[in-house]
Amino acid sequence: MNQNALLLFILCIPYVTYGIEFNYPAVFNFGDSNSDTGDLVAGVGDHLDPPNGQTYFKGPSGRFCDGRLIVDFLMDAMDLPFLNAYLEALGVPSFRKGCNFAAAGSTVLPPTQYSVSPFSFGIQVAQFFRFKSRVLQLQAKSKRFNKYLPDEDYFSTGLYMFDIGQNDLAGAFYSKSFDQVVASIPFVLAEFETGIKKLYDQGARNFWVHNTGPLGCLPQNIAKFGTDPSKLDSLGCVSAHNQAANLFNIQLHVLVTKMQAQYSDANFTHIDIFTIKSNLIANYSKYG
């Protein structure tokens, strides 16, 4: 993401976070490649080559990106360090200000034999529970770990961020019709709601939820599904993929609204990533 794109993102954020202060002691992130800072690479023993990481880290950093991710800019905005991946064991990683459970290729639904990542949303939530349990155990034994671990109250006052669901839709198009993909959305969101409830029951109260981006504009989807010009929209993106993403996002927004009403002592912030990214694609020359 270049600086002009970042400026657009920052300009868009106030409209969806009015009244929300970026003042959290720690961040716990769940997701896919949109926010993976090294989990998949560490978890499956993979490696990344340039151009990954070249514009900021000067080399691969575990991110499937040539620079920083949105989560990195958000951490900067909160004056917090970049999140270390849960599965990254080397380099004495600090989890004082949070932990990142996101893994590239992950889905909300449980993984299948064709899944890129075994770390679905349910697995990531389970990893968080183990993380929290181990943190509390270590802190009870000795204070010498405190500078590397979050305080106990950070689990209730921290920010829980989510950017996942893209791969449930994009992957389904390889074997399912448009109608079948759309019919699967309620099951994806039911699994997502189950994970949120588990986190809430464990004390999470601040939830930051990204909707999914314009899937039809991803180069891999255009190359695979966009060979017929009649299937492309005015931006040259695959219409069916973007329609499915829009339907997913409508239902996700309804779910977030429902959960905000259901959990009245919690704070839910919904971020319209689809509109932000679509604006970048439609006005790419304006933003550099």
Side-chain angles (χ1 to χ4, degrees), residues 20-170:
I20 302 295
E21 293 186 6
F22 267 23
N23 185 24
Y24 301 98
V27 173
F28 305 100
N29 185 70
F30 306 80
D32 51 34
S33 61
N34 288 295
S35 60
D36 180 3
T37 57
D39 232 40
L40 185 70
V41 172
V44 301
D46 199 359
H47 73 279
L48 296 176
D49 297 314
N52 289 292
Q54 68 180 12
T55 65
Y56 182 82
F57 299 98
K58 308 308 178 186
S61 65
R63 295 160 174 78
F64 288 76
C65 177
D66 64 349
R68 288 166 288 179
L69 301 169
I70 290 175
V71 66
D72 295 318
F73 289 106
L74 289 173
M75 296 303 289
D76 268 346
M78 291 184 276
D79 292 323
L80 296 176
F82 293 160
L83 288 176
N84 285 312
Y86 171 68
L87 295 175
E88 183 55 77
L90 300 178
V92 193
S94 172
F95 299 107
R96 176 70 179 162
K97 296 297 184 178
C99 185
N100 193 359
F101 302 90
S106 294
T107 54
V108 175
L109 293 176
T112 69
Q113 59 180 323
Y114 304 108
S115 297
V116 173
S117 166
F119 307 114
S120 63
F121 182 52
I123 297 297
Q124 292 180 29
V125 171
Q127 289 174 332
F128 166 79
F129 291 150
R130 184 181 188 281
F131 173 82
K132 180 180 179 181
S133 176
R134 285 291 291 150
V135 166
L136 299 181
Q137 287 174 7
L138 290 170
Q139 288 177 336
K141 290 181 179 179
S142 173
K143 293 183 178 180
R144 66 190 180 96
F145 298 112
N146 286 2
K147 65 179 180 179
Y148 301 109
L149 303 175
D151 291 344
E152 182 175 359
D153 67 332
Y154 288 8
F155 291 109
S156 59
T157 58
L159 181 65
Y160 291 74
M161 296 177 60
F162 309 87
D163 192 329
I164 194 167
Q166 170 179 303
N167 295 311
D168 292 272
L169 299 181

Side-chain angles (χ1 to χ4, degrees), residues 56 82 95 98 118 173 191 218 252 279:
Y56 182 82
F82 293 160
F95 299 107
F173 271 103
E191 184 76 9
L218 294 176
L252 175 64
N279 196 327

